[in-house]
Amino acid sequence: MRRSAFVLVVVLALTLAGAAVAGNGGVAPPAPASPTAGHIRDVYWLILAVTGGIFVLVATTLVLFLVKYRSRGRSREIEGPQVRGHTNLELAWTAGPVVILAIIAGFVFWQVSNIGGAPSSSASTGPPAREQIRVVGHQYYWEYVYPNGAISINRLRLPVNEGVRLQIVSADVAHSWWVPALAGKLDAIPGKTNYLAFKPNKQGVFRGQCAEFCGLLHAQMLTHVDVVPAARYAHFVRQRANDRIGLGKDEFEGVCASCHGLAGQGGYGPNIAASPILANRASLATLLRQGGIKMPAVGNSWSDAQIDALVAYVRQRFKLGGAGGR
């Protein structure tokens, strides 16, 4: 019996260790790409270590008691040996959790002071921010507006080793911006502005998603953050500000294609490849800003320039003639 219990505990420990080593596919958070994410990871590991230790202690004690005080063939009508209280032990397991919680709380508050979020405030904690980027949550995509007015959809570009500050808002319902390798999640709430500051210190592409259930296609509301050298970031922002077709492609692939397919062949939404609405700017603008029967108003906050960019791209992509205005 004791040998079986020991084997069970060892197998469980090895299983958890293997999952932890697996990193992103197991119990461990992704490798941090910013000091902010590093502090969050430190908090995670402390809490996991403490709770894991408590689990092993409780489970081991339970197994030992099951073995020591088993009936050993004794009739159910006969009481087992009586165990009297132990004052020192009872004081220890009362005071112990208080001390453990105090340690966890102290460590968490210490780390939180280094995590760069400043909710509902124009002043930001965290690293000094060179760039402030507006993040707008929509059903079901992320819109990024850079300081010079350039826009990208679902893919945010950031300069490495430079502080950034995100201004997070929502155009419709509650969303939550979350890229685990860079920072903690922060809600995008209608009528409210939240701020998140951090400093990416590793180049690469980091995946994120909406962490707040926001509708039927919530699971497809993904995002990617490209952390690149400062010169490459500056080139993209400068070039995108005057790239109407590039913006239109982002809008079509990141917004329209989510429901209607990359070729407009249909999917969750109907086939639009041959729809006359694509060639009619006025009708397309009305549909984007007001929505349809099942379609949310995906472009309810779009400017005329954003509408024009999408119209120009779909006319080029589907070889449509102009109609219904510019």
Side-chain angles (χ1 to χ4, degrees):
M1 180 67 179
R2 293 181 181 179
R3 181 178 299 175
S4 299
F6 176 75
V7 171
L8 179 62
V9 171
V10 170
V11 170
L12 178 61
L14 291 176
T15 301
L16 291 176
V21 172
N24 297 350
V27 298
S34 77
T36 297
H39 295 309
I40 294 172
R41 186 182 172 99
D42 290 343
V43 171
Y44 171 88
W45 280 121
L46 173 70
I47 295 176
L48 180 65
V50 172
T51 54
I54 292 173
F55 170 78
V56 171
L57 177 62
V58 171
T60 302
T61 303
L62 176 62
V63 171
L64 291 176
F65 271 59
L66 287 174
V67 173
K68 183 174 182 179
Y69 297 106
R70 66 188 186 276
S71 65
R72 295 177 179 174
R74 184 181 64 245
S75 172
R76 291 187 178 184
E77 288 74 23
I78 301 176
E79 291 188 2
Q82 301 302 299
V83 179
R84 297 185 180 276
H86 192 297
T87 303
N88 291 336
L89 182 60
E90 292 173 357
L91 289 174
W93 71 44
T94 300
V98 175
V99 173
I100 291 172
L101 290 175
I103 292 172
I104 293 176
F107 185 78
V108 169
F109 281 115
W110 174 50
Q111 292 288 0
V112 163
S113 66
N114 297 313
I115 296 175
S120 307
S121 172
S122 59
S124 175
T125 60
R130 171 182 167 183
E131 295 290 287
Q132 176 164 295
I133 298 170
R134 185 174 175 84
V135 180
V136 186
H138 296 262
Q139 291 178 305
Y140 300 97
Y141 66 95
W142 294 102
E143 176 186 14
Y144 300 108
V145 184
Y146 299 87
N148 68 342
I151 296 172
S152 64
I153 303 294
N154 285 341
R155 187 170 287 270
L156 173 63
R157 279 78 170 180
L158 294 178
V160 68
N161 292 325
E162 294 187 8
V164 295
R165 184 167 177 257
L166 304 184
Q167 183 185 41
I168 301 177
V169 298
S170 172
D172 37 52
V173 300
H175 303 280
S176 187
W177 192 86
W178 186 35
V179 180
L182 294 175
K185 61 185 71 170
L186 194 63
D187 288 348
I189 302 172
K192 181 180 177 66
T193 301
N194 286 329
Y195 296 89
L196 181 65
F198 56 91
K199 184 178 181 179
N201 57 12
K202 291 183 182 178
Q203 294 186 45
V205 179
F206 305 100
R207 184 180 182 275
Q209 63 187 83
C210 179
E212 182 75 27
F213 181 67
C214 56
L216 293 175
L217 291 183
H218 159 72
Q220 295 188 31
M221 193 169 168
L222 307 177
T223 192
H224 291 84
V225 178
D226 293 0
V227 179
V228 298
R232 184 175 165 189
Y233 165 79
H235 173 76
F236 167 79
V237 173
R238 185 170 56 251
Q239 182 267 344
R240 171 50 65 90
N242 300 307
D243 183 7
R244 187 169 71 162
I245 294 299
L247 173 58
K249 180 180 180 181
D250 259 19
E251 292 172 336
F252 181 80
E253 294 183 352
V255 182
C256 307
S258 297
C259 291
H260 302 286
L262 284 172
Q265 76 276 13
Y268 180 75
N271 185 318
I272 59 171
S275 172
I277 294 179
L278 293 183
N280 188 308
R281 185 198 183 279
S283 298
L284 184 58
T286 299
L287 181 63
L288 290 169
R289 287 173 172 161
Q290 298 181 13
I293 298 173
K294 293 184 178 180
M295 173 179 164
V298 295
N300 60 348
S301 64
W302 285 14
S303 66
D304 286 342
Q306 288 175 270
I307 299 289
D308 290 341
L310 179 62
V311 170
Y313 177 75
V314 297
R315 285 177 179 174
Q316 180 186 90
R317 181 183 180 95
F318 295 101
K319 298 179 174 57
L320 303 171
R326 58 179 190 270

